[in-house]
């Protein structure tokens, strides 16, 4: 099973794109804070999220930078050389 739960804040406004085949995708980044260290500021992890179709359209419509969001989905890793 490949399932992930991410709770954090949006780092920028979502970007909605359309393709020739009438499909839409909304991309945004979520910053999730780690547990606080004994001293100093907490670390954050940044997750790139893609929402397709009607879900993506709703994300673009209602989400803005700084908003707290919860994302449930699958993890897919990409490798670059």
């Amino acid at each position: 099973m490949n399932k992930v739960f991410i709770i954090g804040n949006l780092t920028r406004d979502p970007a909605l794109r359309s393709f020739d085949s009438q499909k839409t995708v909304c991309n945004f980044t979520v910053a999730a804070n780690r547990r606080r260290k004994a001293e100093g500021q907490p670390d954050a992890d940044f997750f790139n999220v893609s929402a397709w179709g009607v879900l993506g359209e709703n994300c673009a419509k209602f989400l803005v930078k700084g908003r707290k969001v919860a994302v449930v989905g699958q993890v897919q890793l990409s490798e670059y050389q």
Side-chain angles (χ1 to χ4, degrees), residues 1 5-7 24 29-30 36 43 47 50 54-55 63 70 79-80:
M1 178 181 276
F5 298 89
I6 301 167
I7 299 174
T24 57
T29 303
V30 177
R36 288 197 182 270
D43 290 330
F47 298 92
S50 297
V54 176
L55 178 62
L63 299 179
E79 294 184 23
Y80 297 96

Side-chain angles (χ1 to χ4, degrees), residues 18-51:
S18 297
F19 296 99
D20 295 333
S21 62
Q22 305 287 336
K23 290 187 178 181
T24 57
V25 62
C26 182
N27 295 313
F28 54 92
T29 303
V30 177
N33 289 332
R34 294 183 191 172
R35 293 182 186 246
R36 288 197 182 270
K37 295 181 181 180
E39 73 271 341
Q41 295 292 325
D43 290 330
D45 293 314
F46 296 89
F47 298 92
N48 294 322
V49 179
S50 297

Side-chain angles (χ1 to χ4, degrees), residues 55-70:
L55 178 62
E57 293 172 8
N58 286 333
C59 288
K61 185 176 180 181
F62 295 110
L63 299 179
V64 293
K65 178 181 177 179
R67 185 108 188 229
K68 174 94 51 192
V69 295

